[in-house]
Amino acid sequence: MNEVLLRSLTPSVLGILVRRGADFAVAEDAVQDALVEAVRVWPADPPRDPKGWLVTVAWRKFLDATRADTARRRREDRLDEEPAPGPAPAVDDTLQLYFLCAHPSLTPSSAVALTLRAVGGLTTRQIARAYLVPEATMAQRISRAKRTVSGVRFDQPGDVATVLRVLYLVFNEGYSGDVDLAAEAIRLTRQLATAIDHPEVAGLLALMLLHHARRAARTASDGSLVPLAEQDRGRWDTESIAEGVEILQAALARDRLGEFQAQAAIAALHADAPTAEETDWVQIVEWYDELARLTDSPVVRLNRAVAVGEADGPRAGLAALAALDDSLPRHTAVAAYLHERDGDLAKAARLYAEAAQKAPNLAERDHLTRQAARLNARRGR
């Protein structure tokens, strides 16, 4: 072991980590850990590029430490934090890590999965559910991504589209109630909007604000879910809605439509309706048509079927639903709702009970079970 070589490389490796945005103290610890690893590994397997080896290992140590620290700070400091309105402060290391993990050597889907796992703090199961794939498949995808980046330089950050996808999925996971990450996703998206003038960044921020504005009304005092049509709109955060609509209008005016802007437009139409009955479902269907054209997503088409059922009647919605794969998550719940609207209470009750067994979380399972019980009670009268 050439200890002189190790000592000579230490300042250079430390400098590289700091220039990449690492906090000096954390970077120093990471370099020391890398040196310990070198002492253990190099005698049996000396690297061809000692400096490159040290940089790669030290950066991985830094990512691990930052991930652990981020998770701790979320638990301790941000559990009840709500996103503050207005411009965000300067970009911090967390957002830089999102870009670095979205490495160009990875496919976009692998980069998103790796970043969600390494920085976002989501479990493999949560990521698999977001991608509609089995957990084992996602575990293999993440492992392959780790192997791909294990020997590359982290000096080429990923593109904005990949980072937006990560932030969107982190927000959705927080919004679902499993992990409270919604406020953190909004904070980072505000930072990104401050740093980058991009209509889809603005669209994503608007979408997050419009959805987050309804958060207080989404659950009852007993913790049960409250459907959108039954929510107390007086509990919606009107300041967040106004900010989201203003950001969206500015983004749409640039005539560079993307999926996040289209989703935000749908959320804005819901927010604009004084009551559920006054919702402009015809416009919502039109925006879902745009969104389906942009994404070709089966989940978008599933949500479109609900909107068609509201705009043109439940039978039109069921016809749209029939064109979709019935293995889609929440397909059975949508079918139950549309059959209830069509007056077939027996079939709707059976489908609600079936959907409850497939629900991804306890709150949704409880809600669907209640719906089935409600219809069965009505039929028994």
Side-chain angles (χ1 to χ4, degrees), residues 95-168:
L95 190 55
Q96 292 174 18
L97 286 172
Y98 273 71
F99 273 94
L100 288 169
C101 286
H103 196 272
S105 64
L106 299 171
T107 63
S109 61
S110 293
V112 170
L114 178 62
T115 313
L116 287 171
R117 187 72 185 93
V119 187
L122 273 64
T123 66
T124 302
R125 177 175 298 178
Q126 290 167 332
I127 301 168
R129 190 172 67 226
Y131 270 89
L132 311 181
V133 299
E135 184 177 353
T137 300
M138 183 53 64
Q140 292 174 354
R141 184 179 300 178
I142 293 172
S143 294
R144 285 196 301 270
K146 288 179 179 179
R147 288 197 298 270
T148 298
V149 300
S150 63
V152 301
R153 292 170 59 90
F154 279 87
D155 54 0
Q156 293 179 280
D159 66 353
V160 174
T162 300
V163 173
L164 287 180
R165 176 64 50 196
V166 174
L167 290 169
Y168 175 61

Side-chain angles (χ1 to χ4, degrees), residues 349-361:
R350 177 176 60 77
L351 289 171
Y352 274 129
E354 184 181 330
Q357 295 177 351
K358 304 175 183 177
N361 56 64

Side-chain angles (χ1 to χ4, degrees), residues 72-249:
R72 178 187 60 77
R73 286 188 286 109
R74 283 200 191 105
R75 290 193 300 270
E76 294 178 356
D77 303 328
R78 296 177 186 154
L79 185 61
D80 299 317
E81 178 184 338
E82 290 299 315
V91 177
D92 66 11
D93 288 348
T94 306
L95 190 55
Q96 292 174 18
L97 286 172
Y98 273 71
F99 273 94
L100 288 169
C101 286
H103 196 272
S105 64
L106 299 171
T107 63
S109 61
S110 293
V112 170
L114 178 62
T115 313
L116 287 171
R117 187 72 185 93
V119 187
L122 273 64
T123 66
T124 302
R125 177 175 298 178
Q126 290 167 332
I127 301 168
R129 190 172 67 226
Y131 270 89
L132 311 181
V133 299
E135 184 177 353
T137 300
M138 183 53 64
Q140 292 174 354
R141 184 179 300 178
I142 293 172
S143 294
R144 285 196 301 270
K146 288 179 179 179
R147 288 197 298 270
T148 298
V149 300
S150 63
V152 301
R153 292 170 59 90
F154 279 87
D155 54 0
Q156 293 179 280
D159 66 353
V160 174
T162 300
V163 173
L164 287 180
R165 176 64 50 196
V166 174
L167 290 169
Y168 175 61
L169 291 176
V170 170
F171 175 82
N172 278 346
E173 196 59 50
Y175 194 68
S176 75
D178 277 356
V179 183
D180 190 6
L181 297 174
E184 172 70 356
I186 291 175
R187 185 184 73 85
L188 292 173
T189 306
R190 282 193 188 280
Q191 291 186 352
L192 190 58
T194 300
I196 299 176
D197 184 19
H198 191 296
E200 272 294 82
V201 176
L204 178 58
L205 179 57
L207 175 64
M208 289 178 174
L209 290 169
L210 289 164
H211 277 311
H212 205 69
R214 303 200 299 260
R215 187 169 189 174
R218 288 183 68 243
T219 54
S221 57
D222 62 358
S224 60
L225 291 179
V226 180
L228 177 61
E230 301 172 20
Q231 288 177 13
D232 178 359
R233 299 184 179 219
R235 299 184 65 195
W236 290 0
D237 183 346
T238 55
E239 289 187 9
S240 290
I241 291 173
E243 184 186 4
V245 169
E246 182 180 359
I247 292 170
L248 173 63
Q249 288 174 338

Side-chain angles (χ1 to χ4, degrees), residues 301-347:
R301 296 187 186 280
L302 183 68
N303 290 330
R304 179 186 178 276
V306 176
V308 169
E310 298 290 351
D312 301 326
R315 298 207 173 173
L318 286 167
L321 186 66
L324 302 176
D325 186 347
D326 61 9
S327 67
L328 275 172
R330 298 187 173 89
H331 183 285
T332 308
V334 170
Y337 174 74
L338 291 172
H339 278 293
E340 180 186 356
R341 289 279 316 282
D342 195 39
D344 191 344
L345 302 190
K347 187 168 187 177

